[in-house]
Amino acid sequence: MAELLAYINGEYVPESRAVVSIYDRGYMFSDMVTESTRTFAMRPFRLPEHLVRLYRSLKATEIDPGMTAGEMERATLHMLERNAGMFGPGQDAWIVHNISRGVYSYRGGRHGGGPATVVIHCFPIDFASFARFYDEGLHAVTPSVRQVPPETLDPKIKHRSRMAGQLADLETARIDPDAVAVLMDRDGNLTENTGGNFFIVTDGVVRTPTDRAVLEGVSRATVIELCGSLGIPCREEVLQPYHALCADEAFLTSTPYSMLPVTRFNGRPVGDGRPGPVTGRLLAAWGEMVGVDIAGQALAAAGA
């Protein structure tokens, strides 16, 4: 049976045989940076911007991928092209880059070892896992697990060290299996979801936490750009749970779903408890930009 192909260190292999060493530093120490990009109508969305962020993460972590950003982009597009026949009508791809420092060497000292391990792969976006939330909205919960402070590990580095996020998601699921976590920092300020950025809307103003303790999301930047083109005021500022509880609307942004409304926060309705007009206006503008009805595609794929 045909399989998706993954790129591993210059080779394209079926995903069932896409393996790395048990001594890879990414596996042993989470010593790995990552990037996620999606397609719209099988065209990668802002791949150059994603690769800029990837190479900044590589620079910050002193990982040499052994290839230029241009070579990485060409390998990514070639990987997607070779897999295009595996995607049906209405499907889109989630593209993932994982780059570790390479295989650990017991004779090479703490930082010794071979060249970096570069993996690029893709798979169909699971629209069914989130489609209904375009209509219903999400329940956001602030768990007791706090955001890793930037003094420890700067969140602008997109890395695979995700244990804190996993624990936050587990705690959130015990409160509500369908809820998503929005982490606070040590001072009680809102930061981000474990896989995306958080926004609120108050009196027509879109507001999002500053980049001090959050990943500078490409989807986040897209919303800020769309606000500018639509004439919607947008501010980056310090936000607490109080601001979310008093907001008129809220939403999350992330690569697979672009935007999802948040209609409950810590068990209480946001605004009137329904997806808000500013959220809808931004999502519609995003869809016009990429030529895809974003919510409609997901709902159709999920059979809703």
Side-chain angles (χ1 to χ4, degrees), residues 20-29 32 100 102-104 117:
V20 297
S21 169
I22 60 171
Y23 296 111
D24 192 274
R25 297 181 68 94
Y27 174 76
M28 294 183 71
F29 308 119
M32 177 189 293
S100 82
V103 177
Y104 179 77
T117 300

Side-chain angles (χ1 to χ4, degrees), residues 170-213:
L170 288 170
E171 180 181 335
T172 299
R174 288 194 292 272
I175 297 168
D176 176 355
D178 287 332
V180 295
V182 174
L183 302 179
M184 295 185 291
D185 64 17
R186 295 178 298 178
D187 297 319
N189 301 315
L190 298 175
T191 62
E192 61 187 354
N193 168 246
T194 54
N197 292 108
F198 182 65
F199 289 77
I200 64 172
V201 183
T202 308
D203 297 327
V205 178
V206 174
R207 306 162 73 188
T208 192
T210 69
D211 64 6
R212 179 181 182 275

Side-chain angles (χ1 to χ4, degrees), residues 152-170:
T152 300
L153 181 58
D154 196 314
K156 289 184 282 296
I157 299 170
K158 190 164 186 180
H159 53 83
R160 278 297 185 197
S161 306
R162 302 297 180 91
M163 182 59 78
Q166 292 297 305
L167 294 176
D169 285 339
L170 288 170

Side-chain angles (χ1 to χ4, degrees), residues 50-95:
H50 280 282
L51 293 180
V52 165
R53 185 172 65 178
L54 175 65
Y55 272 76
R56 287 174 178 168
S57 295
L58 290 165
K59 183 175 182 179
T61 54
E62 300 183 63
I63 296 174
D64 178 4
M67 54 199 304
T68 66
E71 291 169 337
M72 187 75 71
E73 181 172 8
R74 288 190 289 275
T76 303
L77 294 174
H78 189 208
M79 180 276 305
L80 184 63
E81 180 182 359
R82 294 191 63 169
N83 284 304
M86 300 293 291
F87 291 81
Q91 288 188 316
D92 266 302
W94 190 337
I95 303 166

